[in-house]
Amino acid sequence: MSEAAGHALQIRGLTKRYGDFTAVDSVSLDIERGEFLTLLGPSGSGKTTILMAVAGFVLPNEGSILLDGNDITALPPERRNFGMVFQGYALFPHMSVAENVAFPLRVRGLSRAARDEKVRAALDLVQLSSFAERLPRQLSGGQQQRVALARALVFDPALLLLDEPLSALDKKLRAELQEELKSLHRRVGRTFINVTHDQEEALSLSDRIAILNHGRLIQNGPAAFLYENPRTRFVADFLGKSNFIQANVSRREDHHVILRVGDTELRQHAMAIPGSTETVLLSLRPERIRLLKPGEGAENEVEAHIRSWSYLGSGFSIVAGLPGIGDIRVNAPANHAHEALRDGAPIRLGWDADAAKPVQEDA
Ligand code: ADP
Ligand code: MG
């Protein structure tokens, strides 16, 4: 692999219609040099269409795509020099691993000697050097996908485009390949654009996530920032899980806003809630809620009862009923004394004044 830095991509007002159906709706997004960006959204949200437009296989109705500032919207795919990996392995079944990886180099007319050297380096990169002479069917699914990665990187592509590359793999293998992909990105220092509907994958892999719904870009930002500061109900619910509480602004104190839900008062950091607001939709992550011990206090304290609970190994997931608020989900760490967890048992829940985040209702 060469030491060249990754390239930057700009997507400007990208729109793709099929008949009167809008698959991608005015999406604008800047992807920085060497960045790992994930397009995350439910099935049908337009992720593949955006990636195909970037690759040059889909011609947009409106908008443009720029690589390092140069408009490539009308450039044919083969002249973009982008590497691609898809969900199905799509290796040539009758070719050995080495021949598969050499294929893009053969297409580009490289000499045998030059091909051999690059193939060796690419197989080293995905730790498959000793499998060079095998056929794809003699490899596991994860190994086949690593060959596909080597094949996509062997010709020093300007960008690597990944469309749900791990989704055909089982959970454990997927986690391994996630680690591998992350380390690969670090080692090759190129710009990766990944597509997934799997929020855990998006969180664990990406420098930045762009969240799509119905062909629209809803929000984008660093993974942790998005998780902590979802702009809308959809983002809060799609990236992780959340509880939603609709509350009225009751009064203001120095640094807090006091909200009311039925008979319950909630205390929020004032800075999160603008002055003129009357009602607020709060997103409250299950892991930000604590089960309070007797005598323990919190900025927000509510009486509840356990409606159901389950043991997850790493902790407990509890559904608690809150009078006037409804059911909310609480994640408690495994070290919690679980003798107290009985269906119907009274509990007290607590959370900090900055734990819940105001979000917008989806348009
Ligand atoms: P995702 O990858 O997020 O699942 P896609 O980009 O594949 O979504 O598709 C977005 C929407 O556009 C879907 O509703 C899909 O049915 C529609 N679509 C995609 N390709 C075509 C096509 N060639 N003709 C008509 N509709 C299409
Ligand atoms: Mg898709």
Side-chain angles (χ1 to χ4, degrees), residues 18 21 23 42-49:
Y18 293 107
F21 175 76
S43 174
S45 57
K47 307 180 297 292
T48 294
T49 307

Side-chain angles (χ1 to χ4, degrees), residues 24-276:
V24 177
D25 193 354
S26 319
V27 167
S28 295
L29 191 58
D30 284 4
I31 298 139
E32 289 166 30
R33 288 175 193 279
E35 190 172 30
F36 195 132
L37 178 109
T38 293
L39 301 173
L40 173 69
S43 174
S45 57
K47 307 180 297 292
T48 294
T49 307
I50 294 172
L51 208 68
M52 287 298 135
V54 170
F57 295 108
V58 160
L59 192 66
N61 295 89
E62 288 161 37
S64 52
I65 295 165
L66 288 80
L67 185 68
D68 298 332
N70 303 311
D71 195 324
I72 58 162
T73 319
L75 199 67
E78 66 276 10
R79 294 193 45 209
R80 298 189 185 196
N81 209 39
F82 296 167
M84 303 193 71
V85 179
F86 301 104
Q87 181 176 341
Y89 317 115
L91 298 178
F92 304 113
H94 56 286
M95 289 186 192
S96 71
V97 164
E99 286 165 345
N100 264 282
V101 176
F103 185 79
L105 303 176
R106 195 187 287 265
V107 170
R108 286 166 174 78
L110 268 75
S111 73
R112 175 77 199 244
R115 288 201 310 255
D116 285 353
E117 195 192 322
K118 283 180 180 285
V119 167
R120 210 171 306 123
L123 287 178
D124 263 355
L125 198 62
V126 296
Q127 287 145 36
L128 284 177
S129 303
S130 54
F131 294 78
E133 298 318 315
R134 293 216 194 167
L135 289 170
R137 64 178 152 79
Q138 296 169 312
L139 302 179
S140 72
Q143 289 167 335
Q144 289 183 41
Q145 210 49 327
R146 277 152 60 193
V147 176
L149 280 166
R151 190 178 58 180
L153 287 166
V154 73
F155 55 91
D156 288 333
L159 293 181
L160 185 64
L161 307 177
L162 304 145
D163 194 349
E164 313 245 6
L166 311 180
S167 61
L169 307 172
D170 67 49
K171 194 176 162 71
K172 193 158 175 288
L173 208 51
R174 206 159 61 218
E176 281 172 30
L177 261 274
Q178 275 175 20
E179 287 303 318
E180 174 107 16
L181 202 53
K182 212 163 144 170
S183 121
L184 196 62
H185 174 252
R186 273 196 300 270
R187 281 177 284 147
V188 300
R190 283 167 198 284
T191 312
F192 281 28
I193 307 179
N194 178 49
V195 157
T196 186
H197 64 274
D198 179 342
Q199 51 102 8
E200 275 180 43
E201 181 185 317
L203 285 170
S204 77
L205 279 179
S206 328
D207 296 321
R208 202 152 54 94
I209 301 176
I211 298 193
L212 295 150
N213 197 21
H214 301 304
R216 295 207 187 97
L217 176 64
I218 309 297
Q219 190 177 6
N220 86 87
F225 179 85
L226 280 198
Y227 186 83
E228 292 297 332
N229 302 281
R231 193 172 66 74
T232 71
R233 179 197 280 261
F234 174 79
V235 174
D237 209 29
F238 198 74
L239 199 61
K241 282 284 156 252
S242 207
N243 298 292
F244 296 98
I245 301 171
Q246 184 87 51
N248 295 313
V249 174
S250 167
R251 62 183 192 282
R252 286 169 185 277
E253 294 176 354
D254 278 356
H255 300 292
H256 293 102
V257 176
I258 309 302
L259 305 172
R260 182 167 277 283
V261 194
D263 295 332
T264 308
E265 282 199 338
L266 302 178
R267 176 174 288 268
Q268 271 293 121
H269 269 184
M271 58 200 169
I273 299 175
S276 59

